[in-house]
Amino acid sequence: MSTRCQIIPIYVIQSNLNVCACSLLQVLECCIISLDFFLLPLLSAVWIMLPAYLPNPVAALFGGGTPIDLGRNFSDGKRVFGDGKTFRGLFIGILAGIGIGLVQIWIMGTYGLDYLPRHTYLSVMLLATGALLGDLCKSFFKRRSGKERGIKWPVADQYDLVAGALILLLVFDPSWLFANMILPVFILILILTPVLHRTVNIIGYYMGVKEVPW
Ligand code: CTP
Ligand code: MG
């Protein structure tokens, strides 16, 4: 047995080493590919959208008081926006979105992080404001379609903030939008948004902040 081990030709060992090295390289290659094609766009998607994602949960936490439509009805006899859209929620939500954006700008200035999209004061303001204006517009059309406050309205409830934020960017800062919103990032935002929206709303529901878990 030991004699057979000793006569393993050197080229067999070398070829085994080659196979190992190749496998290791393939694993490394996979890591680099997944970093380039998945992880970086995912991080970029979250980084871009943070100032737009934060206003909604903050409005749910701190909103309430005078409704934006002052309790008035539209010409169809239904509420313009409803009691779920208040001045306090709107302003505190937008401030929170701008606040997190300023923190992101500070982090980039301090730590570099050149692989992430670079926010500007304008992009942050447009994302935060657009998110809650999108939410407000959604509620306007939700009331027109006869749905009461808090009733589920799939797709619109999840994407209102994305639509609002991107439309404001498109109108007031298109160069920033097209420089940073590359296709894989945009696709990831479309996948990520409903997942995050649902998760945060379920958490809000169990915390007693939201009346419904959607
Ligand atoms: N909120 C607020 N002001 C806003 C947006 C939200 O005060 N501009 C608060 C309200 O208390 C609201 C909660 O956040 O009930 C959750 O927001 P959302 O789900 O957008 O409102 P809904 O109550 O579901 O109303 P709608 O059916 O119009 O979407
Ligand atoms: Mg809602």
Side-chain angles (χ1 to χ4, degrees):
M1 184 75 176
S2 63
T3 343
R4 279 175 72 185
C5 281
Q6 279 163 2
I7 58 166
I8 294 174
I10 191 80
Y11 66 83
V12 173
I13 297 171
Q14 269 177 341
S15 79
N16 281 343
L17 279 175
N18 279 346
V19 171
C20 283
C22 280
S23 312
L24 199 67
L25 276 176
Q26 272 173 351
V27 171
L28 280 174
E29 207 176 37
C30 276
C31 290
I32 291 165
I33 287 172
S34 59
L35 194 74
D36 271 0
F37 283 89
F38 186 70
L39 283 180
L40 264 184
L42 185 68
L43 267 180
S44 303
V46 175
W47 192 256
I48 286 180
M49 291 304 285
L50 257 182
Y53 283 152
L54 199 62
N56 267 295
V58 169
L61 259 178
F62 298 104
T66 314
I68 296 170
D69 63 9
L70 304 171
R72 290 198 190 120
N73 289 342
F74 196 61
S75 53
D76 56 8
K78 296 177 187 116
R79 287 286 296 273
V80 181
F81 302 117
D83 284 334
K85 306 296 126 162
T86 67
F87 284 111
R88 203 164 73 207
L90 184 72
F91 290 125
I92 298 184
I94 291 175
L95 282 181
I98 293 175
I100 192 74
L102 293 180
V103 172
Q104 289 174 273
I105 291 174
W106 176 80
I107 290 176
M108 293 227 72
T110 310
Y111 298 104
L113 308 185
D114 290 332
Y115 46 90
L116 286 175
R118 191 164 284 273
H119 272 299
T120 61
Y121 295 130
L122 183 61
S123 74
V124 159
M125 267 165 36
L126 294 174
L127 281 157
T129 311
L132 282 191
L133 288 187
D135 176 54
L136 194 61
C137 283
K138 182 268 326 258
S139 290
F140 175 80
F141 290 111
K142 201 169 170 180
R143 300 297 91 83
R144 306 289 70 74
S145 75
K147 289 186 172 57
E148 293 296 325
R149 170 196 176 181
I151 297 286
K152 222 184 211 171
W153 202 22
V155 184
D157 274 334
Q158 287 90 42
Y159 288 111
D160 52 4
L161 71 106
V162 178
L166 297 193
I167 288 171
L168 277 206
L169 276 172
L170 188 66
V171 173
F172 295 106
D173 200 357
S175 55
W176 189 93
L177 179 67
F178 292 117
N180 293 285
M181 191 61 72
I182 53 171
L183 189 64
V185 171
F186 180 64
I187 292 170
L188 281 169
I189 288 173
L190 293 185
I191 297 170
L192 198 65
T193 302
V195 177
L196 282 179
H197 187 266
R198 185 83 168 127
T199 310
V200 169
N201 284 346
I202 290 173
I203 295 170
Y205 176 69
Y206 284 110
M207 280 171 63
V209 172
K210 270 201 68 115
E211 286 167 23
V212 286
W214 51 79

